[in-house]
Amino acid sequence: MHDPDHETPHDHEHPHDHETPHETATPVAGDGAARWKHDGIRVIPGDKLDANTAQTPGMFRQAAINHARVGAQKIWAGTVAIEPDAKTGVHHHGALESVIFVLSGRARMRWGDRLEYVAEAGPGDFIFVPPYVPHQEINASPDEPLQCVLVRSDNEAVVVNITDVDPVERPETVHWVDPIHKHP
């Protein structure tokens, strides 16, 4: 039964001001609600991505979400394409964390000071790249492009290309192991 004497107007916890216009179901003229028109949701069409972003030899990056395009403060997102049987230069992304989602193709990732470790990922797989890890993306398919979505933990497209790496000939395959998923 509803008891108005024991009710608080906003008896829940979340970080926002209840007097802002986005709380109203219908914006009222003159209350500033129109600000959401250009400062709210943005849809970036896939054919309108921006290639004017940091590049690494052997891959083609395009920005969808960054500070310049949408005002993002904490993330960068875009796409990566690698031609069949191609590989990128060795690089890292400074203090940024990166997540790569494989849309199509087969990604072979090499990493380490001498690219001594390797793992592969296919469509639907996610790849996590921690800060400062030297790595190289390789399209493991001889005839299909590798297409990925890339998200980084800051709105800057930090790419540090490394040219003085002497890769090992036979990298060690690393399987995903954590407290839940044991070695295969």
Side-chain angles (χ1 to χ4, degrees), residues 30-72:
D31 69 358
R35 74 179 181 169
W36 296 123
K37 180 176 181 178
H38 296 292
D39 292 334
I41 302 298
R42 313 258 175 70
V43 174
I44 294 80
D47 63 349
K48 303 281 190 251
L49 304 184
D50 184 6
N52 186 24
T53 188
Q55 299 290 337
T56 296
M59 72 173 16
F60 179 56
R61 287 189 192 97
Q62 296 185 93
I65 308 295
N66 61 14
H67 183 71
R69 297 195 85 198
V70 300

Side-chain angles (χ1 to χ4, degrees), residues 18-113:
H18 284 273
E19 304 308 316
T20 58
H22 71 277
E23 286 292 307
T24 61
T26 307
V28 177
D31 69 358
R35 74 179 181 169
W36 296 123
K37 180 176 181 178
H38 296 292
D39 292 334
I41 302 298
R42 313 258 175 70
V43 174
I44 294 80
D47 63 349
K48 303 281 190 251
L49 304 184
D50 184 6
N52 186 24
T53 188
Q55 299 290 337
T56 296
M59 72 173 16
F60 179 56
R61 287 189 192 97
Q62 296 185 93
I65 308 295
N66 61 14
H67 183 71
R69 297 195 85 198
V70 300
Q73 300 295 310
K74 298 179 183 179
I75 61 171
W76 183 101
T79 61
V80 174
I82 301 175
E83 292 301 314
D85 216 19
K87 62 184 176 184
T88 70
V90 181
H91 61 283
H92 69 76
H93 303 287
L96 305 184
E97 294 179 322
S98 298
V99 173
I100 301 167
F101 178 75
V102 180
L103 292 170
S104 64
R106 189 97 193 133
R108 180 176 298 134
M109 300 292 294
R110 287 189 65 176
W111 71 94
D113 291 327

Side-chain angles (χ1 to χ4, degrees), residues 26 28 34 36-37 45 60-61 63 90 100 107-108 120 126-129 138 145 147 153 164 173 184:
T26 307
V28 177
W36 296 123
K37 180 176 181 178
F60 179 56
R61 287 189 192 97
V90 181
I100 301 167
R108 180 176 298 134
E120 289 197 9
F126 286 85
I127 301 165
F128 174 65
V129 181
I138 301 166
Q147 301 284 339
S153 61
D164 61 347
T173 299

